[in-house]
Amino acid sequence: MSEDRRLEVLRAIVQDYVRTSEPVGSKSLLERHRLGVSAATVRNDMAALEDEGLITAPHTSAGRIPTDAGYRLFVDRLQQIKPMSRAERAAIARFLDGALDLDDVVSRTTRLLSSLTHQVAVMQYPSLSRSTLRHVELVPVGGTRLMIVLITSTGRVEQRVVDVGRDLTLEPDVVPTLRTLVNELAVGELLGRIPARLAAVEERVAPTDRPLAQIVVDTLAEAAQERTEERIAMAGTANLARVGSDFPTSLSQVLEALEEHVVLLRLMGSMASLDDGETVAVAIGTENPYEPLRTTSVVATTYGTAGGLGVVGPTRMDYPQAMATVRAVAHYVADILDG
């Protein structure tokens, strides 16, 4: 049997099953696809694919469905991810360009991914540890209170109001001078390196201003630390109900797993390690390390160096479309957050 023809039969089975959710028989393959061979040849090819564990019969009918291994071979043999059309790319750009802040970017991204793929969209908020400092703002807010605002390269904003123990309204030049110095030393640095960079602040201010400088430095160091605020945003869980038959015994387990954001954070982290930011990682069914999600597939990538995003759905997924959409959206998100 020709390997190329066998792969063509597998591709046709995957495409038909994804579209119809019905087991695929040799007769329907010949009717829907130009395979250029006889019905007997197709039946022989299907028998060979079944022997190799790439397709299986869900019951005693003549139809076959792909296995996890069959989906994996199909995905691995994709020559390239089909690019999205100009109209699709323009629609993505228009939808995301209107975002007002980081929360809006994340909300729009997950809603867009869910809408385009009809899967559950998952996005990791930009990681502080992989962000750099874009700007620090110091704003007197009355009397002895000072607002300290840290803005990262990914648009994340950390804000604190502290009591500095001195009336800043009586010293209008102190805060601007300190602001300039802090930005000079720390802008462009990874957040984890900010405490070390700001160690020189106290040496470069007047002795009377050192207590104020210490408060600012300590507050910025605390704000720059990675905290348990690492978050996941999600949209489209209702899409799973639309394909509930794909989860005959485990849909509730899948939903419960999706609610566990720690699991999703680890999942995004493990998927991100599988790609270089340009490719898209795909984990199919039993390849997933988390038991409750082993009836699902995950298509994910990274956006810049900040975090991961992707979709979760049944193994009966339109992989080429999901991969193209995830990659395109990730590129737009990276452009927005790095802009």
Side-chain angles (χ1 to χ4, degrees), residues 19-294:
R19 185 177 65 253
T20 68
S21 76
E22 296 293 335
V24 182
S26 58
K27 181 179 179 181
S28 63
L29 285 179
L30 289 169
E31 291 173 348
R32 296 171 182 168
H33 303 272
R34 296 180 180 179
L35 298 176
V37 294
S38 67
T41 299
V42 172
R43 286 194 294 271
N44 288 337
D45 288 347
M46 292 177 69
L49 290 169
E50 188 168 10
D51 288 342
E52 294 176 25
L54 299 174
I55 61 175
T56 188
H59 43 74
T60 56
S61 73
R64 300 293 184 271
I65 65 174
T67 63
D68 288 355
Y71 284 125
R72 168 50 60 194
L73 183 59
F74 170 78
V75 169
D76 288 346
R77 291 303 178 96
L78 289 175
Q79 295 299 315
Q80 59 184 7
I81 302 176
K82 181 180 178 181
M84 303 193 77
S85 69
R86 181 176 299 178
E88 290 171 327
R89 293 196 303 271
I92 292 173
R94 283 196 303 270
F95 189 79
L96 294 181
D97 284 347
L100 301 175
D101 54 28
L102 178 60
D103 286 333
D104 198 15
V105 170
V106 173
S107 175
R108 285 171 181 254
T109 299
T110 53
R111 286 186 286 127
L112 178 65
L113 267 178
S114 173
S115 174
L116 292 175
T117 63
H118 306 292
Q119 311 295 346
V120 180
V122 179
M123 181 174 177
Q124 179 184 9
Y125 267 74
S127 171
L128 281 177
S129 64
R130 288 175 283 180
S131 302
T132 59
L133 180 66
R134 178 178 292 174
H135 182 69
V136 169
E137 189 59 57
L138 304 179
V139 184
V141 290
T144 61
R145 295 191 304 158
L146 179 68
M147 178 184 294
I148 302 173
V149 183
L150 180 151
I151 305 172
T152 74
S153 58
T154 55
R156 196 161 181 168
V157 178
E158 294 290 324
Q159 180 177 298
R160 306 285 189 277
V161 175
V162 296
D163 191 319
V164 298
R166 56 195 280 189
D167 191 345
L168 297 174
T169 62
L170 302 177
E171 305 171 272
D173 295 332
V174 172
V175 171
T177 300
L178 185 56
R179 179 196 305 123
T180 299
L181 177 58
V182 166
N183 281 285
E184 175 188 322
L185 290 171
V187 166
E189 292 288 342
L190 287 170
L191 297 198
R193 297 180 60 184
I194 285 179
R197 291 291 297 169
L198 294 182
V201 169
E202 287 188 76
E203 301 174 2
R204 295 177 57 176
V205 299
T208 56
D209 293 332
R210 287 175 183 172
L212 170 62
Q214 185 64 55
I215 291 173
V216 171
V217 169
D218 290 346
T219 302
L220 286 171
E222 189 276 333
Q225 290 178 352
E226 193 73 60
R227 307 194 315 270
T228 55
E229 92 294 52
E230 276 295 299
R231 288 186 290 160
I232 283 285
M234 187 166 50
T237 52
N239 285 325
L240 294 180
R242 178 178 55 84
V243 290
S245 58
D246 287 281
F247 307 97
T249 61
S250 58
L251 178 55
S252 62
Q253 292 180 349
V254 173
L255 291 172
E256 289 172 2
L258 291 175
E259 291 177 356
E260 293 291 336
H261 285 195
V262 172
V263 169
L264 292 180
L265 281 167
R266 291 175 179 170
L267 180 62
M268 287 292 102
S270 65
M271 295 295 288
S273 68
L274 300 177
D275 74 84
D276 58 10
E278 285 297 321
T279 57
V280 177
V282 180
I284 300 170
T286 52
E287 297 173 353
N288 198 305
Y290 303 101
E291 179 68 33
L293 296 180
R294 287 183 178 170

